[in-house]
Amino acid sequence: KAGVTQTPRYLIKTRGQQVTLSCSPISGHRSVSWYQQTPGQGLQFLFEYFSETQRNKGNFPGRFSGRQFSNSRSEMNVSTLELGDSALYLCASSLGGQGDGYTFGSGTRLTVV
Amino acid sequence: AQRVTQPEKLLSVFKGAPVELKCNYSYSGSPELFWYVQYSRQRLQLLLRHISRESIKGFTADLNKGETSFHLKKPFAQEEDSAMYYCALLTGANNLFFGTGTRLTVIP
């Protein structure tokens, strides 16, 4: 079966712009989580969506938002980009139940210049 | 608040030597712990979970609630074990929190 697909793989944006990243989960998975990965901070949890509802949220500013569609695909949006937003953004999907394993995508590498 | 601590950013061992990657956690509820691995140019993938109590690629990890630890061990390191290893804790709210990771290098 197809894995978790993230598009695009790479993005270069300028400060102040906004960006939308996409994640297609494994078929049948209803939970999608987003993480920001940087060399200094490691993997930081952004938010989790389950059945089109944001179920959990990390400690990121409101410039970071997301949504999930009825087919479980998810998008993440970052507005008013800052240089510090440069990172690898990872998406992970799971069935959504307690203890279900997460499957990660390859990520979208965002560079803000 | 929950926290996952991996005290070693870098760890180097010789091939055939034992390896232990440390992980300590802080969580008020009943923890579910995982080890994830990221090999060079590959995506992050699940290595093992404590509830399975299984050995994957020769690695084992035992949850020690008294010491709040979940250290990853392998008796004989192989070159292909070189990778980034992340310890992760799943909360009751289904949030998966990661430690900062340990880069393991196995020296031939």
Side-chain angles (χ1 to χ4, degrees):
Chain A
K1 59 182 176 182
V4 179
T5 304
Q6 290 188 247
T7 57
R9 290 294 306 274
Y10 302 93
L11 264 178
I12 299 176
K13 291 284 188 179
T14 56
R15 273 183 300 174
Q17 284 187 311
Q18 74 159 16
V19 67
T20 299
L21 313 182
S22 179
C23 173
S24 293
I26 288 175
S27 178
H29 282 193
R30 295 166 64 190
S31 168
V32 173
S33 298
W34 288 90
Y35 291 84
Q36 182 194 65
Q37 186 177 27
T38 58
Q41 301 294 322
L43 281 152
Q44 292 191 285
F45 172 72
L46 280 152
F47 28 66
E48 184 224 1
Y49 285 86
F50 180 80
S51 292
E52 302 179 66
T53 301
Q54 188 181 86
R55 191 162 64 170
N56 294 295
K57 190 175 187 307
N59 296 323
F60 276 79
R63 300 185 296 108
F64 292 81
S65 63
R67 59 178 173 168
Q68 188 179 34
F69 302 95
S70 58
N71 61 358
S72 293
R73 190 178 72 85
S74 177
E75 287 182 348
M76 191 192 95
N77 186 276
V78 188
S79 62
T80 320
L81 283 166
E82 301 176 359
L83 295 178
D85 297 333
S86 295
L88 180 67
Y89 289 88
L90 293 173
C91 158
S93 77
S94 77
L95 290 168
Q98 182 68 16
D100 290 329
Y102 283 41
T103 302
F104 281 82
S106 298
T108 294
R109 169 114 13 229
L110 172 66
T111 302
V112 183
V113 297
Chain B
Q2 60 286 318
R3 175 174 282 190
V4 179
T5 303
Q6 293 180 251
E8 304 139 327
K9 275 187 171 311
L10 304 169
L11 181 64
S12 296
V13 299
F14 285 100
K15 178 181 171 182
V19 61
E20 181 180 53
L21 293 94
K22 291 184 167 48
C23 172
N24 288 89
Y25 68 91
S26 172
Y27 181 55
S28 57
S30 183
E32 255 196 83
L33 287 145
F34 303 80
W35 277 99
Y36 280 79
V37 61
Q38 190 167 29
Y39 300 102
S40 180
R41 289 186 289 278
Q42 292 188 29
R43 61 184 65 189
L44 194 63
Q45 56 187 282
L46 178 65
L47 181 62
L48 53 80
R49 63 182 75 182
H50 90 269
I51 58 173
S52 303
R53 301 186 65 81
E54 57 194 346
S55 172
I56 304 291
K57 299 184 180 184
F59 284 98
T60 59
D62 290 317
L63 178 61
N64 185 322
K65 290 188 177 181
E67 297 181 0
T68 60
S69 68
F70 188 57
H71 303 327
L72 184 68
K73 300 177 184 179
K74 185 170 182 177
F76 308 103
Q78 302 299 315
E79 288 180 65
E80 56 266 29
D81 296 329
S82 294
M84 193 75 178
Y85 291 81
Y86 293 94
C87 182
L89 179 149
L90 186 70
T91 68
N94 211 49
N95 284 5
L96 189 64
F97 286 91
F98 288 85
T100 49
T102 298
R103 181 169 298 283
L104 173 67
T105 301
V106 180
I107 304 164

